[in-house]
Amino acid sequence: MNRSFGILGSLDVRVDGEPIAIAGPRQQALLALLLLNRNRRVTAERILDGLWPDDLPASGRAALQMGVSRLRRSLAGRGATGDVLVTVAGGYLLRTGPGEVDADAFERLAAAGRSALAAGDPARAAEALGSALELWRGDALPELADAAFAAGEIARLADLRLSAQEDHVEARLALGGHADVTAELERLITTHPHRERLRRQLMLALYRSGRQADALAIYRSARRALVTDLGIEPGPELRQLEAAVLRQDAALEGPAPIAAARPLVPDERKLATALVAELVVTGEDPERIRLRVARFAAAAEQAVARAGGWIEHSTGAIVVAAFGVPVACDDHADRALRVALDLVAAEPVRIGIDTGEVLVSGSDTARLLIVGEAVQLALGLARRAAPGEAIVGQRCRAIVQHGFAWDGGRLLGVPAAARPRDRSREAAFIGRAPELARLSDAMARARAEHAPQLVTVVGEAGVGKSSLARRFAADAAPDVVVRTGRCLPYGQGITYWPLGEVIRAELGMDEDAPAVGVADRLGAHSAAAAILGLDVMQDQHPATARERVHSAWVGWVSAVAARQPLVVVVEDIHWAEDDLLDLVERTAAEATGPLVLLTTARPELRARRPSFGARARTAGNLRLQPLGDPEARQLVHELLGGAASPDVADLVLSRAEGNPFFVEETIAALIERGSLERTGHAWRLNALPAEMEVADTIHAALASRIDLLPAPAKQALRAAAVIGTTFSARAVASLAAGEPSSIDELVEREFVRPVDGLREDDPRYAFKHALTRDVAYNGLTKTQRSRLHLDYAAWLEAGRGGPDEDSPFLAHHYAEAANLADADVVWIDRAAEHERVRALAARWLERA
C-alpha cells in the first residue's frame, strides 16, 4: 500500500494514488497540525490551542476526540492501516514513513542537489534540484493562512524553496544555461528585490549572453533598490562582480550556451492605453540630431519601464508604448499620462495617448506585437499635438479625468502626490455597521490592553475597503490620531512608501517636500529616516541596516501611540514587498501603546503570503462582502439623487452584483453611453444596446486580477467563461486540459464559488460576478472563442444519453463556433470545416 501526504501546496492525502477527502476546515487543520509534527507526540493541549486559538468551546476536548476519530476513519477509509494516527500518553501521533510526505522528499532532494553543486557536479545538482522544485504545487498549505501553529513551518519551507531555486539557477549557469535562466531570475527579483544572490546570477547570465550593458544596468538597479529602500550599499560580492564585468574578466566566461527556444506569447485581447511620442528635431546638424534621438529613446524606454509599460517599438525619433500589456493593470491610463508628463518636461515632444482594445501577440517573450485602434488613435493625436504638448483621447480622459489637469484634451499637469489617484468611491457610504463595530472593538482592545491590534480588511477590488477605512477614521476622530499610507504597484524606492507617508503626515510635511532634517526630528529613532530615502545607514551591512530601520520604526510608532491613541492604515497591502509585510507584522508583535494597524488587501494576499499576521500579538481578518440587495439599491438611489426607478436599479444591480465601485461605474457608463437619461427629477432607461459593454474602469480592475493568476488557472477561467456563468469541473478540464487544482485556485482567489448540491463525481461552480466572466471571455481572441465553443459543444454532444434537453445549449455553442459575423477572420482557409459547423448549428437550432 502506497500512502502520501502533500503539504507543498493545498493539503493532499492519497492512498495508492487515489485522493482521500478530508471534510471540513477543522479536520484539515487537525491533519495539517499533526503532519507538521509528524512522528512526534502532539499534546492535546497544543492541538486545542491550535484549532481554537481565540475561544476554546466548553466541549473542546470532546470535539477533539470526535475529530481524531473521524480523521482516523478517513485515513483508513480506503484500506489504509489503522496505525497511521495513534493515541499516545496525553496526545496523538501521526506516523509517516520515508518519502510519504512531499516536504521530506523536497528537503532530501534539495540537500542532494546542494551537495552535488558543492562537489562540482552541476549536472547531478540540476537534476536533483529540478526534481525537488517540481514537487511544489503552489504555496505551502494556503488554507492555513490564518493558523498561527503553521506560520513558522510555512515560512521555513518558503525560504528553503527560494534557496533551492537559487541553487538550481547556479547549477544551470555552470552548465551553460545562461540564456535559459534570465526570465526566471527577472521574475524572482520582482518578488525578492533585495536578494543579492539573485542579482549576481542575473548579471552573470546577461554578461555571458553578450549583454554587458544590461548586466551593469542590473547592478545599478540593485544599488538603487538597496540605497533607496534601505539606505545601504550592495555587498562586496556584488561590487566585485560589477568590477569584473567592467574589466571583462575572463574568469566570468562560462561553458557554451545551451540552446533554448523562447516561449510563444499566446494571442490575447487587452484593454490598454497606448502612448505615441515623437521628438521634434528641425534645423540641426545630423550628428547632433543623432545624439538627441539616442538620448530621447533611452530616456523614454526608462520612463516607460519604471511605470510598468511596454515599448512596442522605437524607431528613430518615434516611440510607441503600451500600458496594461502584457499584464493588465487597473491604472494603465494613469501610468501613461505620468510618463507623458515626464517626457514633455524633458524634451520638446509631441505626444498622443488613448485607451482601447488591442491584440497582443509575439514570437517570444522579448518581443510583442500590439495592434488595435488605441495605437492608431494615439498616433493621430500625436500628429495634432504641438511641440511640448500631450493630447489625450476622450476614452482615456474618462478614466482619469478627476486626477489630472486639462485644457480640452490637452494634458496640463498632475497633483503633487506621487501616488496614483484613489479611485474608491466618495459619493456614498452605505451599510457596514457590523464591520465598523469590529474595528471599533479593536480600537477599544488596543486602549484597554495598551498593545497593538492588527486587522486586515480583505475583499475584492471595489468592494469598499478604502471607504470602510475612511469611515472608521472619521468616526474615531478627534481623540484618535489616524495616519494613512498606500502601497504602490510600481515605481522606484517604494518598499516603505506607505510608512513614509505616515511619517510625513505625523511631522506635518507636505508630500513633495524634501526630507531635510527628518533624522533630527525623529530623535532617538533617526534610523527610520531611511524610510523616506535618506542615506542614514552609510556603509552598514544590509542585514544590519534593515534591522536598525525596522527597530527604529517600531520605536517611533510606539512613541507616537504613547502620546495619543493611534491608527495606522496601510492600504493595498497586496502590493507590498516582503520587507514591508515583515515590518508590519513586527510592529504588531513588538510595538507598545494603544495602536491599531489597519491594512486593506485583495484576496491575492492570501495566495502570496498565507501566513501574514501570524507574528502579531493580536491579529484578525475582516472579510468584506458585497452589499446586500437593500443596501445596494439604497446606494443606487443616493448616487442618482434619490431619483432611480426600479427598472434602473434592477439593471445596475444585475451588472454590479453588490460591488459598490461596480455600481458607481456602471451608472457612469450608462449615462455616458446615453442609455440612462435624466428627465425632470427622474432617471429613465433608453433603448439598451444588444450587448452591454463592461465599463473600462471595471474591466481594468478585473483584468488585472485575472492576469495575476497562474497560467493553468487563467486558462481554466477562460474555458469556464466560454461554457457560461455556471459550469462543471469536468467540462472545464476537457477544454483547458487542466488539473482540479486550477479550479481550487479559482475558488481560493474568489473568482468562482461552488454551487449548492454538488455532484461528487462532477462538482459544479459559478462565477462570483457575471462581469468577471465577461472580462475573462473578452480576453480570448475570436478564433480562440470559436474553437472553445466548438470543443464544448462536441464534448456536450458526446455525453448525451437521452432526450433533447441539451438542445438549446448545443445550438448556442455550435452557433457561436460558426461565428458568421467574423467568419472571414475565424475560419480563414477552412471553408469546408466552417460549412460542417454551420450545418451542426442549424441542426441543433431546429431541434431546440
Side-chain angles (χ1 to χ4, degrees), residues 4 48 99 149 254 305 360 531 603 661 717 724 734 810:
S4 66
L48 291 170
F149 70 79
V360 182
I531 289 172
F661 176 66
L717 186 74
S734 74
L810 285 162

Side-chain angles (χ1 to χ4, degrees), residues 419 484-486 497-506 511 532:
R419 64 189 183 195
T484 301
R486 181 184 299 276
W497 179 272
L499 305 189
E501 290 187 297
V502 170
I503 291 175
R504 285 180 175 274
E506 179 62 22
E511 291 185 88
L532 296 177

Side-chain angles (χ1 to χ4, degrees), residues 269-453:
R269 297 173 77 101
K270 297 277 191 183
L271 180 68
T273 297
L275 177 150
V276 176
E278 180 182 8
L279 179 67
V280 179
V281 285
T282 56
E284 293 185 40
D285 182 82
E287 293 182 46
R288 186 169 286 107
I289 290 175
R290 183 181 66 179
L291 290 174
R292 284 191 58 207
V293 167
R295 284 198 298 266
F296 163 70
E301 290 182 13
Q302 289 177 6
V304 170
R306 281 197 304 269
W310 192 276
I311 297 290
E312 201 278 336
H313 71 260
S314 176
T315 306
I318 298 179
V319 171
V320 179
F323 300 82
V325 298
V327 177
C329 52
D330 54 5
D331 58 348
H332 51 85
D334 294 73
R335 299 183 189 213
L337 268 58
R338 291 174 185 280
V339 169
L341 290 171
D342 289 343
L343 296 180
V344 166
E347 292 278 2
V349 291
R350 297 186 178 97
I351 294 179
I353 303 171
D354 211 349
T355 297
E357 194 173 25
V358 299
L359 178 67
V360 182
S361 59
S363 57
D364 58 54
T365 53
R367 289 177 288 276
L368 293 181
L369 176 64
I370 303 168
V371 295
E373 186 182 29
V375 179
Q376 300 307 313
L377 290 173
L379 181 60
L381 293 172
R383 289 170 178 163
R384 287 171 42 198
E389 187 175 72
I391 300 181
V392 184
Q394 181 178 358
R395 189 169 180 180
C396 181
R397 293 201 308 276
I399 302 176
V400 298
Q401 58 186 351
H402 300 299
F404 293 82
W406 307 97
D407 176 14
R410 288 164 173 78
L411 177 62
L412 299 181
V414 65
R419 64 189 183 195
R421 83 178 175 92
D422 178 10
R423 291 195 55 84
S424 57
R425 65 186 173 91
E426 301 283 355
F429 183 84
I430 304 297
R432 307 305 191 194
E435 291 84 359
L436 285 171
R438 282 194 58 184
L439 295 179
S440 297
D441 289 345
M443 187 73 252
R445 286 195 302 272
R447 291 182 184 224
E449 299 171 11
H450 212 68
Q453 307 283 315

Side-chain angles (χ1 to χ4, degrees), residues 171-251:
R172 290 150 70 196
L173 282 172
L175 293 170
H178 37 271
D180 194 31
V181 300
T182 303
E184 179 182 349
L185 286 168
E186 289 172 342
R187 177 180 59 80
L188 288 170
I189 287 171
T190 300
T191 309
H192 308 281
H194 302 135
R195 193 88 168 188
E196 293 195 35
R197 187 183 182 192
L198 294 173
R199 301 274 191 173
R200 292 198 306 272
Q201 291 173 332
L202 181 56
M203 286 179 66
L204 190 58
L206 292 171
Y207 181 80
R208 290 180 178 176
S209 300
R211 298 167 61 183
Q212 181 180 357
D214 290 339
L216 292 171
I218 293 299
Y219 175 81
R220 292 194 296 271
S221 172
R223 184 178 182 276
R224 252 193 327 268
L226 292 170
V227 171
T228 304
D229 297 348
L230 303 176
I232 58 175
E233 291 288 340
E237 292 184 13
L238 201 57
R239 295 199 301 269
Q240 290 165 11
L241 179 57
E242 182 213 20
V245 169
L246 285 170
R247 65 174 181 269
Q248 299 183 345
D249 194 326

